[in-house]
Amino acid sequence: MCSIIGYLGISSAAPIIVKGLKRMEYRGYDSVGVATFSKDHINVRKGVGKVLEVNKTVKLDELSGTIGIGHTRWATHGMVTDINAHPHPSSSGEVAIVHNGIIENHEGLKKELQEKGYTFKSQTDSEVIANLLQYNYDKTKDIKKSIIDTVSQLKGNYAFVAVFQDGTLGAARNHEPLIIGVGKDGYFISSDVLGFVEYTDDVIYPDNREFVIIDTSGLKIFDFEANPVRHQIIKVSKEFADSYKGEFAHFTLKEISEQPTTILSAGNSTQLEMDLASDLIRHAKNLYITGSGTSYNAALIAKFLFSKYAKIKIDPLISSEARFSHDVFEENSILIAISQSGESADVLEAVSIASKAGSKIISIVNMMTSSLVHQSAISIGVNCGPEIGVAATKSFTSQLVVLYKLVDKLCNGCLELDFTKVSEAIKKILSNDSKIRDVARLLKDVPDIYVLGRGIHYPIASEGSLKLKELTYIHAEGLPGGELKHGPLALMDSDSFVLIINPNDSTYNDTLMSAKQIKARGARVIGISDIPSDVYDYWIDIPSIGESLYPLLEIIPIQLLAYYAAIEKDTDPDYPRNLAKSVTVK
Ligand code: BG6
């Protein structure tokens, strides 16, 4: 996914836009660019790389004018090059656009426009929007009509912002996020409130298939059928403005360190929704739970908690696979959708497939202003504040806390939850991380690492391996301990490193047996446990706690290990290569 932004007001636009792009950089950081309108001309500056790097060389924030647009890119079509960076001007230069999403019919449109004499410089799908707007504007000399004609021809999920030759800003959304900020001295258009929350917390959420025109006479919103639309101005919580690293070197380390606090506030803001959700679940015909990446690993944990403690069967579904198993959903099915951002396209697609089949949607979300919340019957807030680091950390443990609270309601308090104790235990792990740093140094040149867990600890092994992949680029694999002897054991030799998740619970002896089998092949074993053992070459100690709550503790040392190994390997923990915070394209 990319980030797009626009500003029209009385202040200099470029510095405001560059600041907004820096805040939204987690959405994509292959290239960045800004275009401003001044003295009847659209000026474009762009380059490959992150916001601060590119700004140093091409001076994005020194562009003149009080009207402008900006973009950070997560490449989908066309290599990561200067020419493919946004903004894209039309062939006459009278319109420039920034775009997030995918134009599925761009090849056909490009061919038609080339036959009409419009030229293209880039390999992107996005540039077709600029020339199509130009072509429709040339026909009508009317900006509103040119946007209506353009959106009627575009296919795919998209949001774009355009600046026209007379200084007008136009923007449209079709299944991609677009938010308007109403400031004291100007208007903002952005993919995310983070883009402008520093300047205003008054926002408008255009619905899907709506477009916006902003000029010196003000703001107008229309649907794609040209009908004027009015929306309420909503206040967003200023917590979004609090996305600073503070004394931490990286957002990822800051967010890992926030967990003693965030697990205590998880789900607190939506108690009523928690009650309503548990009622719906009790009466559901069948129950599914879905998510992508880390959120899917939380769904796997839910399967254990629901079946073991609430005696309720729930089927986890990888969101990106939902389109291949759409026949499972029916009337009276419940789908629980987990998503930090609430904008992952795969999750939104699974939700729309289930809704079309008459199923009800319960969502567990951090960004309560997101599309997923608007598409859910009930939304439970994870409430861990903005998460900027691309690899999910605090949102995962807060998702788990919400799932624990939901299951505890369904089993009438059978879990005896004590999150204060968990919070204290996490503080202990965070304050005693020297052993973890030592092990991280060992992983610097390791090509592969295996993460083992049994029962409820297997999803944690899967999440741990995901963290190692995302942050260190080491090939890491999560394995259910018992499966070792059915194949993966062939991989084990004296070069192998294996992380064993082995707390003192009902899985302890079986997992220790697996560790011994691995040790017998000469592999190095890192044990994460509240009990030491000679089998471990390196023991990472975690405090003892109630059997059901170990997943909340044992993931913390793995998050830290991945972070410190990333530092050792000099990768960028906050903005791992080729990834984005949530992927809004399918
Ligand atoms: C990926 C992120 O793009 O999306 C992961 O890099 C995340 O960290 C996954 O787990 C799912 O995102 P979300 O917002 O739907 O939970």
Side-chain angles (χ1 to χ4, degrees), residues 292-295 339-341 344 390-392 470 580-583:
S292 299
T294 292
S295 298
S339 175
Q340 186 283 129
S341 61
S344 292
V390 166
E470 288 174 311
K581 183 66 191 165
S582 86
V583 179

Side-chain angles (χ1 to χ4, degrees), residues 254-561:
K254 173 179 178 256
E255 288 151 9
I256 292 173
S257 312
E258 285 174 355
Q259 293 176 99
T261 317
T262 51
I263 64 157
L264 295 176
S265 59
N268 288 0
S269 57
T270 44
Q271 282 300 337
L272 172 63
E273 285 76 7
M274 199 79 92
D275 296 339
L276 294 171
S278 49
D279 276 355
L280 264 189
I281 290 167
R282 279 201 187 89
H283 302 97
K285 187 145 183 279
N286 37 42
L287 207 49
Y288 300 96
I289 187 162
T290 193
S292 299
T294 292
S295 298
Y296 177 66
N297 290 324
L300 290 177
I301 293 273
K303 176 179 172 54
F304 278 92
L305 295 175
F306 273 76
S307 54
K308 181 163 183 180
Y309 299 105
K311 310 294 176 225
I312 293 177
K313 184 174 169 311
I314 186 166
D315 283 324
L317 196 63
I318 296 175
S319 297
S320 53
E321 291 298 312
R323 73 185 72 145
F324 307 114
S325 46
H326 48 72
D327 50 1
V328 295
F329 299 115
E330 52 189 305
E331 198 88 19
N332 294 333
S333 297
I334 297 278
L335 174 66
I336 300 177
I338 306 179
S339 175
Q340 186 283 129
S341 61
E343 297 293 355
S344 292
D346 291 327
V347 177
L348 295 176
E349 184 185 45
V351 162
S352 88
I353 292 170
S355 307
K356 285 199 188 97
S359 310
K360 280 214 173 41
I361 310 297
I362 296 171
S363 56
I364 298 176
V365 187
N366 189 32
M367 303 300 267
M368 291 303 274
T369 54
S370 63
S371 310
L372 179 55
V373 171
H374 297 297
Q375 295 169 29
S376 308
I378 297 172
S379 285
I380 302 169
V382 158
N383 215 16
C384 65
E387 187 175 63
I388 307 294
V390 166
T393 53
K394 62 176 181 175
S395 64
F396 178 63
T397 48
S398 292
Q399 287 166 349
L400 295 191
V401 169
V402 167
L403 291 165
Y404 277 109
K405 287 183 174 177
L406 206 46
V407 169
D408 195 46
K409 251 185 210 312
L410 291 163
C411 69
N412 306 317
C414 69
L415 278 169
E416 292 162 12
L417 298 172
D418 179 351
F419 292 119
T420 312
K421 204 166 166 211
V422 176
S423 172
E424 290 310 312
I426 294 177
K427 277 187 196 148
K428 248 204 194 135
I429 297 170
L430 293 172
S431 60
N432 166 26
D433 66 2
S434 58
K435 179 78 71 56
I436 297 169
R437 291 172 188 241
D438 295 344
V439 174
R441 280 189 212 100
L442 294 170
L443 297 183
K444 191 163 186 301
D445 305 313
V446 167
D448 312 286
I449 186 164
Y450 305 93
V451 189
L452 241 72
R454 300 198 70 161
I456 196 168
H457 311 300
Y458 168 50
I460 296 295
S462 176
E463 174 57 14
S465 68
L466 180 61
K467 290 285 103 44
L468 286 161
K469 284 178 200 136
E470 288 174 311
L471 294 176
T472 70
Y473 314 153
I474 295 174
H475 164 245
E477 199 175 331
L479 292 170
E483 276 309 289
L484 209 62
K485 51 191 178 298
H486 302 297
L489 201 55
L491 299 165
M492 302 298 157
D493 60 20
S494 54
D495 295 333
S496 308
F497 262 85
V498 184
L499 207 53
I500 305 271
I501 301 171
N502 197 15
N504 178 19
D505 69 2
S506 53
T507 64
Y508 182 79
N509 293 327
D510 293 329
T511 306
L512 199 62
M513 185 54 73
S514 308
K516 288 179 181 160
Q517 289 167 358
I518 293 163
K519 187 82 182 197
R521 271 74 190 175
R524 251 89 49 92
V525 175
I526 304 158
I528 292 181
S529 177
D530 43 343
I531 307 179
S533 162
D534 302 346
V535 180
Y536 308 143
D537 297 285
Y538 312 94
W539 172 44
I540 294 175
D541 180 11
I542 56 170
S544 296
I545 201 154
E547 164 132 5
S548 65
L549 294 171
Y550 274 116
L552 283 168
L553 294 192
E554 60 206 21
I555 189 58
I556 307 294
I558 309 178
Q559 292 170 347
L560 284 171
L561 189 62

